[in-house]
Amino acid sequence: MVKYFINKVFSLNSNYRRLILIFADALILIFSILISSRLQLKEIYPNFLYDDTYLLLLVSLFIGICLYLFTGQYSGLTRYLSRFSLYLICLRNSCLVILLSLMSWAFGVQYYKISFWLLTWFLITGMTIFLRIFVKDIIYYFSKNIKHKKDKVVIYGAGDAGAQLFDALKFNRNSEILFFVDDNATLWNRTLSGVPIKSPKALFKNKSIIKHILFAIPSLDKDKLIEKICQFRSQGYSVLKVPSLDELIIGKQNIDSLRPIEAEDLLNRSPVSLMPKLLKGKLCSSNVCVTGAGGSIGSELCRQIVKMKPNIIILLEHNENSLYNIHSELLGIVGDKILIHPILGCATDEKLVFNTFNLYSVDFVFHAAAYKHVPLVEDNPISGIRNNVISTKVICESALKSNVKNVSLISTDKAVRPTNIMGASKRLAELIVQAFGEKSRNKYKKDSSFKNTKFSIVRFGNVLNSSGSVVPLFKKQILSGGPITLTHPEMVRYFMTIPEAVVLVIQATFLSDSGDICLLDMGEPIKIFDLAKRMINLYGFSLKDKDNPEGDIAIKQIGLRPGEKLYEELLIDAEAESTEHPLIYKAREKFIPFEELSKKLLEIELLLSKNKKEQLFLCLKELVKDWNTEKKLNLINSKLR
């Protein structure tokens, strides 16, 4: 009967439920004043319902209900009652009691003492808070017992984050929180908000009924987090985690913003600390062009740049589908607040690039267009060199002619002592920017056009989930049943998320001088073999090897690909200097003077047009002296003889 009545009340329209609360508060006001009057005035007035008391009741009801209505007491949802809401109730009742006491004093009602008003405040506040907590608990009890299928979940972590997560999820009709789990033995067999706290062993006893494990320890040491994630995933559990402390502190995420564990959580690296103040106002109301705007780095550059409110952003991309996707996405983000111009074309097209820079009065250019897949460029060297080298030359020359303020080349750690054509072509692109930058830096008197443009380079290593990254490759191989193909068990790589790398790229652009090479601190290198094993466990599989021949996914070693390194470097021959950002360094490396390099670039263009591959490699080796390609050059020399 009680359950039927409560369900009827909860099924009422919200306006009717609000009227019930108003009626309840009115009764609380009446009873509080009557009880206070009885206790305070019984010795003076045995018949305590004195005429002034009736008047006080009427005035209290009118002022109190009006005060509650206009200060939002009935606008909140009782089921999500918070401590802040309770503090507001105390404040409202304080204002009410003070106002009533001043009115009684003004009208000469002298027998209402301070003790009467204090008692009235305690009674009104206590009963109002009790009513709301009672209603909240009733709602929770009946919502918890609604008969429909719920996912049974366990919260790992009985600390502050676990308690907050419980409060956020306890009214979720799709989840039922079975218990908390914590490593701290002193918490076992105790309760948190009425829910038992158990040891990790309880997970295995209840394995058949647990749908998800919710990690609510945002401060957990990275090594321990990886260990536990791999342990639970390998046993078939679905694991979700709350945001990191940094995300919670800055308000980027809420405590209940649960997400699956991703590959980047297994990399044993701390998130990059960003310094948005270094970017404040830098790109605001400017005209920006991003080449390669549809690529993994270029598209993220566009997303970050539009947040800085430029006047115009030009998207230069030769892939129609990629250009359409990023253009549509940006329009959905900013609408018509920022002018977005998609340009379908290649950065090697001199007329197109110059006309674009000149027509839109471009201030900043981020040159991210490049072919970067090592094996593909190794098999298609003419296309790779033309795209990576000639596009950079065209961008720099067009920037000078159209008075662009800043050109930033997005480079790669593979340009350092390169062992492949892609790396060598990117190193030559760096040399082009260095040559333009040094001439601009020196501001040659004979060529004043150089002093208006700054040329810089940002060099960094692998980014997660970029085109060519091992992470999406491993994921695809695991989900298709394996095996994972690994080139060498000792291979190591640096990793950073694309958004982190891109924000650092933009900041580095403004922390460098013309001709500088900026380097991003990519953290500690990670062994690819260890990453592969962790990813196998992440997706709930076991490693198949000689120790576990019945495992699910094997790791197959296929040997180093042509031109591939075991490890990557960021510096060639210079000392890195620190900048205002702790993760950005800059260096000035050896370069080829502008006049000398210009002659060689003309020769390269001629060889490209005639498709003379062997002579092109010799010319490239002459410019990129650190290019380690003895086998290729020996083969070329034998052909030329």
Side-chain angles (χ1 to χ4, degrees):
M1 187 69 180
V2 175
K3 184 176 180 181
Y4 173 80
F5 173 74
I6 291 174
N7 284 334
K8 278 292 184 182
V9 171
F10 290 153
S11 65
L12 291 173
N13 181 281
S14 60
N15 290 326
Y16 289 115
R17 293 200 299 269
R18 194 173 290 118
L19 285 173
I20 292 172
L21 273 180
I22 292 172
F23 178 74
D25 284 344
L27 290 177
I28 287 171
L29 283 169
I30 292 171
F31 284 125
S32 298
I33 291 174
L34 289 177
I35 293 169
S36 296
S37 298
R38 175 62 180 166
L39 295 175
Q40 187 72 33
L41 306 178
K42 63 180 180 179
E43 295 179 1
I44 304 174
Y45 302 98
N47 184 18
F48 70 94
L49 290 179
Y50 189 67
D51 290 343
D52 285 342
T53 306
Y54 287 114
L55 181 61
L56 179 62
L57 284 173
L58 292 174
V59 173
S60 299
L61 282 173
F62 178 76
I63 295 177
I65 299 302
C66 288
L67 179 67
Y68 294 160
L69 284 169
F70 286 112
T71 56
Q73 180 148 306
Y74 306 107
S75 61
L77 295 173
T78 306
R79 70 168 62 201
Y80 300 118
L81 186 72
S82 65
R83 284 175 292 182
F84 180 71
S85 302
L86 301 181
Y87 294 145
L88 284 179
I89 289 173
C90 295
L91 180 61
R92 290 188 191 101
N93 289 331
S94 298
C95 293
L96 174 62
V97 168
I98 290 171
L99 187 59
L100 291 174
S101 64
L102 290 175
M103 289 179 65
S104 67
W105 176 80
F107 287 101
V109 184
Q110 302 296 328
Y111 51 79
Y112 289 125
K113 299 178 182 179
I114 293 177
S115 58
F116 169 83
W117 298 115
L118 287 174
L119 180 59
T120 301
W121 181 87
F122 276 114
L123 288 171
I124 296 173
T125 303
M127 284 192 280
T128 305
I129 290 175
F130 174 80
L131 173 67
R132 278 151 177 79
I133 292 175
F134 178 75
V135 172
K136 177 182 177 180
D137 289 341
I138 289 292
I139 294 172
Y140 171 59
Y141 175 80
F142 282 99
S143 66
K144 186 176 70 172
N145 288 281
I146 292 175
K147 293 182 178 180
H148 74 271
K149 190 174 181 180
K150 296 182 179 182
D151 292 336
K152 298 184 185 298
V153 302
V154 171
I155 297 178
Y156 202 112
D160 289 340
Q164 291 177 50
L165 181 60
F166 173 78
D167 284 338
L169 295 180
K170 65 183 180 182
F171 293 109
N172 188 323
R173 296 192 174 193
N174 298 317
S175 301
E176 179 184 348
I177 300 167
L178 295 176
F179 52 86
F180 288 91
V181 168
D182 203 283
D183 295 323
N184 186 350
T186 61
L187 298 177
W188 298 347
N189 301 319
R190 299 176 68 181
T191 62
L192 196 163
S193 298
V195 178
I197 304 171
K198 300 184 179 182
S199 76
K201 292 180 180 178
L203 290 171
F204 308 108
K205 294 178 182 178
N206 297 273
K207 183 178 178 180
S208 60
I209 62 173
I210 296 173
K211 178 72 173 179
H212 301 293
I213 298 175
L214 312 181
F215 260 86
I217 316 177
S219 60
L220 186 67
D221 177 77
K222 200 76 174 181
D223 287 329
K224 291 182 180 178
L225 175 65
I226 293 171
E227 180 185 342
K228 290 183 180 298
I229 289 171
C230 292
Q231 178 188 6
F232 295 140
R233 288 304 298 262
S234 64
Q235 292 167 357
Y237 289 107
S238 168
V239 184
L240 305 175
K241 70 185 285 277
V242 298
S244 67
L245 284 176
D246 288 341
E247 291 174 318
L248 294 173
I249 290 169
I250 65 176
K252 185 178 179 181
Q253 298 285 345
N254 297 321
I255 191 69
D256 58 341
S257 300
L258 296 163
R259 65 171 180 82
I261 308 298
E262 300 293 348
E264 50 263 40
D265 296 307
L266 307 181
L267 294 175
N268 200 18
R269 56 178 295 277
S270 300
V272 169
S273 58
L274 305 178
M275 296 176 67
K277 65 180 182 179
L278 294 178
L279 298 175
K280 192 174 182 181
K282 297 290 187 181
L283 295 176
C284 184
S285 301
S286 60
N287 298 345
V288 184
C289 177
V290 178
T291 71
S296 51
I297 298 295
S299 60
E300 184 61 28
L301 271 167
C302 296
R303 295 184 194 102
Q304 297 288 348
I305 289 169
V306 294
K307 294 178 184 178
M308 300 169 199
K309 300 179 180 178
N311 182 41
I312 300 172
I313 182 168
I314 297 107
L315 319 176
L316 180 59
E317 172 63 55
H318 76 279
N319 184 289
E320 179 190 21
N321 190 53
S322 298
L323 181 61
Y324 173 80
N325 289 337
I326 187 60
H327 183 228
S328 301
E329 181 182 341
L330 295 180
L331 285 176
I333 295 172
V334 300
D336 58 356
K337 296 177 183 177
I338 297 172
L339 296 175
I340 304 173
H341 294 287
I343 305 294
L344 184 60
C346 186
T348 59
D349 187 333
E350 189 173 354
K351 287 184 179 179
L352 174 67
V353 172
F354 172 73
N355 289 337
T356 299
F357 289 177
N358 198 45
L359 177 63
Y360 296 109
S361 301
V362 172
D363 299 307
F364 299 94
V365 176
F366 292 90
H367 182 33
Y371 289 155
K372 56 186 178 181
H373 290 271
V374 171
L376 283 178
V377 176
E378 205 74 13
D379 292 336
N380 301 273
I382 298 294
S383 298
I385 294 171
R386 179 184 291 113
N387 189 70
N388 294 352
V389 174
I390 304 305
S391 68
T392 306
K393 174 179 176 289
V394 166
I395 292 292
C396 291
E397 289 177 342
S398 299
L400 281 179
K401 294 175 185 177
S402 50
N403 295 317
V404 170
K405 293 178 182 177
N406 194 307
V407 174
S408 182
L409 170 68
I410 311 304
S411 190
T412 169
D413 53 4
K414 292 176 176 64
V416 180
R417 282 178 274 278
T419 56
N420 51 64
I421 296 169
M422 192 281 283
S425 67
K426 288 298 287 183
R427 177 56 189 147
L428 181 50
E430 289 184 351
L431 289 169
I432 293 170
V433 177
Q434 282 181 280
F436 275 85
E438 286 298 327
K439 193 151 187 176
S440 173
R441 182 186 179 93
N442 295 330
K443 297 179 181 177
Y444 279 26
K445 294 180 180 178
K446 294 181 180 179
D447 195 349
S448 60
S449 63
F450 276 86
K451 62 186 178 184
N452 296 320
T453 306
K454 185 179 85 171
F455 299 88
S456 60
I457 300 160
V458 185
R459 184 192 288 163
F460 56 95
N462 293 278
V463 287
L464 284 168
N465 294 323
S466 68
S467 175
S469 170
V470 297
V471 172
L473 173 62
F474 285 177
K475 179 179 178 180
K476 182 179 179 181
Q477 291 175 335
I478 290 169
L479 296 180
S480 63
I484 286 180
T485 54
L486 188 70
T487 55
H488 196 286
E490 298 302 318
M491 177 175 285
V492 294
R493 289 290 183 266
Y494 295 93
F495 286 96
M496 183 180 284
T497 65
I498 294 176
E500 287 173 339
V502 164
V503 173
L504 291 178
V505 164
I506 299 172
Q507 292 178 132
T509 299
F510 299 105
L511 292 174
S512 59
D513 295 322
S514 197
D516 280 349
I517 295 180
C518 284
L519 317 166
L520 305 187
D521 185 342
M522 303 293 290
E524 293 296 320
I526 294 161
K527 204 169 183 178
I528 302 300
F529 184 76
D530 292 339
L531 175 62
K533 291 194 294 184
R534 289 173 181 172
M535 286 189 67
I536 290 172
N537 290 330
L538 171 66
Y539 291 101
F541 300 104
S542 59
L543 175 64
K544 182 178 182 180
D545 57 12
K546 62 180 181 180
D547 297 324
N548 183 25
E550 301 300 319
D552 303 307
I553 306 291
I555 297 177
K556 180 181 178 182
Q557 295 178 32
I558 59 174
L560 289 174
R561 296 176 295 182
E564 192 168 36
K565 290 182 178 181
L566 280 179
Y567 59 91
E568 301 292 357
E569 307 166 272
L570 286 175
L571 268 175
I572 298 176
D573 56 12
E575 291 290 330
E577 301 174 14
S578 60
T579 66
E580 291 179 57
H581 197 294
L583 297 178
I584 300 174
Y585 298 84
K586 63 181 181 179
R588 303 198 65 78
E589 294 183 341
K590 291 179 181 178
F591 67 99
I592 301 172
F594 179 79
E595 289 75 11
E596 181 183 340
L597 183 62
S598 296
K599 295 175 184 177
K600 283 294 181 181
L601 289 176
L602 290 173
E603 184 180 342
I604 285 176
E605 286 186 272
L606 182 62
L607 294 172
L608 284 170
S609 66
K610 294 182 178 181
N611 205 36
K612 293 190 175 182
K613 190 184 300 184
E614 290 78 12
Q615 290 91 335
L616 181 61
F617 289 159
L618 291 172
C619 189
L620 185 59
K621 173 61 179 175
E622 186 180 345
L623 294 171
V624 184
K625 300 186 185 301
D626 292 322
W627 181 20
N628 182 14
T629 179
E630 291 181 10
K631 291 182 180 179
K632 189 177 289 293
L633 289 178
N634 289 336
L635 180 63
I636 291 169
N637 288 327
S638 64
K639 287 184 178 180
L640 292 175
R641 290 193 202 101

